[in-house]
């Protein structure tokens, strides 16, 4: 474990020095100076990115109406969320982040052990959590917030995607293109 | 025949035997201020229905039915209570963050709407916990107003 940690640290440091070079990518979020300069901030940015990616895997599985794949993605997501440490973020945002993470873990766990209909119910609330999380952590990729007004007996539901083109995770092939882009994030 | 008798006897002995294994009770004298019914203004008819239909498994206080002294029923109930409280504990409602409240409220509505709760294995013996179509409508409408607040 120790060796792993050290080598991870070195890997991250070298990555950090690379990205500090002129022209390299900018950090995800303007953190307060005192919190934002440690290795931990970089690690947490990585974790936040993984969370979004695993959420997107889950979304794609639901687009395919593949319950088994969705369950796997949900389980992975819950695991990653548990590793997420909010202490490197701005003090005033830590509480909200913590609540988001706590809620999202529950949804991920439910998704990991339920059928497609129930998975979609939890995915809808999870999507709100992820949007709120990204509003705080920032994102390294462009995301589109998309909305289909017909989900859940016309109460509507939204989700995030990396593509502008609509592929609806709530209905699968039944109504794949229901929805529109609400917002571009990042 | 002989085998049948012996195994029948063994099962009987086992059934009697497990009656002596103690179970822990989910009961508490005090209703905490965080209880759903205290931290919200709940009309009486709504309160009654939720208490009867949900509180046995989703609060710190179970009204134990007659069969709860008989094994293996007691274990099954105990399992439901542990699992149920983990999902949702009305006694701790106000300790939930507003995000969690919102999230749980939605789950509650969808569970009631799709007749998944209360568990059918429970309503089998608790007929008064059954939620009629009329009661369902009443509960959902009220829960909607709670969410809007």
């Amino acid at each position: 474990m120790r060796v792993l940690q050290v080598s991870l640290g070195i890997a991250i440091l070298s990555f950090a020095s690379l990205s500090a070079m002129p022209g390299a990518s900018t950090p995800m979020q303007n953190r307060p100076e005192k919190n934002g300069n440690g290795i931990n901030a970089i690690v947490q940015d990585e974790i936040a990115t993984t969370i979004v990616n695993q959420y997107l895997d889950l979304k794609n599985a639901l687009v395919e109406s593949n319950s088994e794949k969705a369950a796997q993605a949900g389980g992975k997501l819950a695991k990653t969320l548990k590793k997420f440490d909010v202490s490197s973020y701005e003090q005033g945002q830590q509480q909200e982040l913590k609540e988001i993470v706590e809620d999202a873990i529950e949804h991920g766990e439910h998704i990991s052990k339920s059928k497609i209909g129930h998975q979609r119910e939890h995915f809808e609330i999870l999507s709100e959590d992820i949007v709120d999380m990204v509003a705080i952590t920032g994102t390294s990729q462009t995301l589109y917030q998309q909305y289909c007004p017909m989900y859940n007996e016309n109460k509507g539901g939204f989700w995030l995607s990396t593509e502008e083109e609509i592929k609806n995770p709530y209905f699968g092939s039944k109504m794949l293109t229901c929805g529109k882009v609400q917002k571009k994030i990042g | 025949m002989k085998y049948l008798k012996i195994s029948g006897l063994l099962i009987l002995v086992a059934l009697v035997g497990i009656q002596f294994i103690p179970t822990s009770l989910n009961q508490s004298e005090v209703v905490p201020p965080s209880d759903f019914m205290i931290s919200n203004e709940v009309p009486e008819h709504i309160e009654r229905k939720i208490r009867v239909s949900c509180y046995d498994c989703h609060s710190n206080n179970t009204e134990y039915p007659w069969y709860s002294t008989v094994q293996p029923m007691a274990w099954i109930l105990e399992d439901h209570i542990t699992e149920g409280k983990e999902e949702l504990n009305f006694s701790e409602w106000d300790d939930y963050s507003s995000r969690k409240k919102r999230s749980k409220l939605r789950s509650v509505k969808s569970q009631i709407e799709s007749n998944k709760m209360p568990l059918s294995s429970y309503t089998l013996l608790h007929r008064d916990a059954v939620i009629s179509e009329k009661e369902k409508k009443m509960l959902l409408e009220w829960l909607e107003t709670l969410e809007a607040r």
Side-chain angles (χ1 to χ4, degrees):
Chain A
M1 240 358 252
R2 190 81 224 155
V3 181
L4 201 73
Q5 269 174 0
V6 172
S7 45
L8 192 69
I10 292 171
I12 287 160
L13 271 178
S14 47
F15 174 77
S17 56
L18 269 179
S19 47
M21 289 194 311
S25 67
T26 47
M28 274 167 58
Q29 176 74 349
N30 31 341
R31 285 234 183 61
E33 281 304 316
K34 61 176 172 17
N35 295 344
N37 53 10
I39 284 189
N40 191 36
I42 299 161
V43 173
Q44 298 314 317
D45 273 354
E46 282 295 305
I47 293 182
T49 301
T50 308
I51 289 171
V52 172
N53 285 334
Q54 287 171 340
Y55 165 87
L56 292 166
D57 288 344
L58 168 61
K59 187 265 299 172
N60 291 335
L62 292 176
V63 168
E64 292 168 24
S65 297
N66 188 333
S67 175
E68 213 172 291
K69 243 186 177 172
Q72 278 175 12
K76 277 193 200 156
L77 177 64
K79 255 198 197 149
T80 312
L81 281 159
K82 283 183 186 161
K83 284 190 235 154
F84 192 38
D85 166 19
V86 304
S87 66
S88 71
Y89 293 90
E90 195 130 20
Q91 202 109 53
Q93 295 174 321
Q94 289 180 12
Q95 185 60 28
E96 194 188 351
L97 258 185
K98 221 196 255 162
E99 290 170 8
I100 291 170
V101 168
E102 185 196 331
D103 196 63
I105 288 173
E106 276 198 47
H107 296 306
E109 284 175 345
H110 270 122
I111 289 166
S112 76
K113 56 188 180 203
S114 47
K115 299 205 183 91
I116 191 97
H118 200 55
Q119 285 177 328
R120 287 182 165 133
E121 274 175 29
H122 281 287
F123 174 77
E124 192 218 335
I125 322 181
L126 173 69
S127 295
E128 284 181 27
D129 288 339
I130 300 296
V131 166
D132 293 345
M133 183 192 95
V134 167
I136 297 175
T137 62
T139 167
S140 51
Q141 57 193 326
T142 301
L143 298 168
Y144 296 93
Q145 182 177 323
Q146 304 174 327
Y147 177 80
C148 164
M150 285 162 81
Y151 178 63
N152 194 10
E153 292 168 14
N154 298 323
K155 290 191 191 101
F158 66 77
W159 68 93
L160 289 174
S161 173
T162 49
E163 296 164 53
E164 207 169 346
E165 187 194 344
I166 300 285
K167 283 187 197 143
N168 189 316
Y170 292 111
F171 295 107
S173 59
K174 262 191 268 168
M175 233 186 299
L176 192 61
T177 55
C178 170
K180 59 175 198 298
V181 174
Q182 271 188 321
K183 210 161 67 179
K184 195 174 157 191
I185 303 168
Chain B
M1 250 342 264
K2 194 155 173 118
Y3 273 127
L4 209 69
K5 262 195 203 157
I6 292 176
S7 45
L9 198 68
L10 279 178
I11 290 171
L12 195 69
V13 168
L15 268 177
V16 172
I18 58 174
Q19 305 307 325
F20 296 98
I21 301 173
T23 49
S24 61
L25 289 188
N26 179 45
Q27 267 174 337
S28 140
E29 289 292 316
V30 283
V31 177
S34 56
D35 192 277
F36 185 81
M37 301 302 171
I38 296 180
S39 52
N40 292 299
E41 265 178 51
V42 188
E44 214 182 304
H45 59 292
I46 304 271
E47 168 165 359
R48 205 175 319 123
K49 193 69 217 178
I50 296 181
R51 272 194 196 286
V52 171
S53 301
C54 320
Y55 263 53
D56 274 354
C57 303
H58 292 289
S59 83
N60 291 341
N61 223 333
T62 304
E63 278 185 33
Y64 282 92
W66 59 269
Y67 65 76
S68 69
T69 52
V70 186
Q71 298 292 12
M73 307 291 250
W75 283 334
I76 296 172
L77 188 65
E78 196 179 359
D79 241 34
H80 282 163
I81 293 169
T82 315
E83 238 188 289
K85 271 169 68 172
E86 224 176 80
E87 284 292 337
L88 167 71
N89 188 343
F90 281 116
S91 302
E92 293 171 1
W93 182 261
D94 213 32
D95 295 338
Y96 290 170
S97 70
S98 53
R99 180 176 297 271
K100 189 162 175 178
K101 280 185 190 137
R102 208 168 354 120
S103 190
K104 291 293 168 190
L105 213 47
R106 283 211 229 166
S107 286
V108 165
K109 281 194 293 184
S110 81
Q111 295 288 312
I112 293 178
E113 200 156 24
S114 55
N115 303 321
K116 285 198 204 122
M117 289 284 151
L119 293 176
S120 52
S121 59
Y122 175 80
T123 48
L124 211 59
L125 289 166
H126 289 248
R127 300 314 294 170
D128 51 346
V130 175
I131 298 178
S132 70
E133 278 306 308
K134 208 172 126 213
E135 286 169 327
K136 187 162 142 184
K137 196 159 164 277
M138 161 191 100
L139 284 172
L140 291 174
E141 267 170 19
W142 182 75
L143 287 165
E144 203 75 51
T145 66
L146 188 65
E147 192 174 26
R149 252 174 265 167

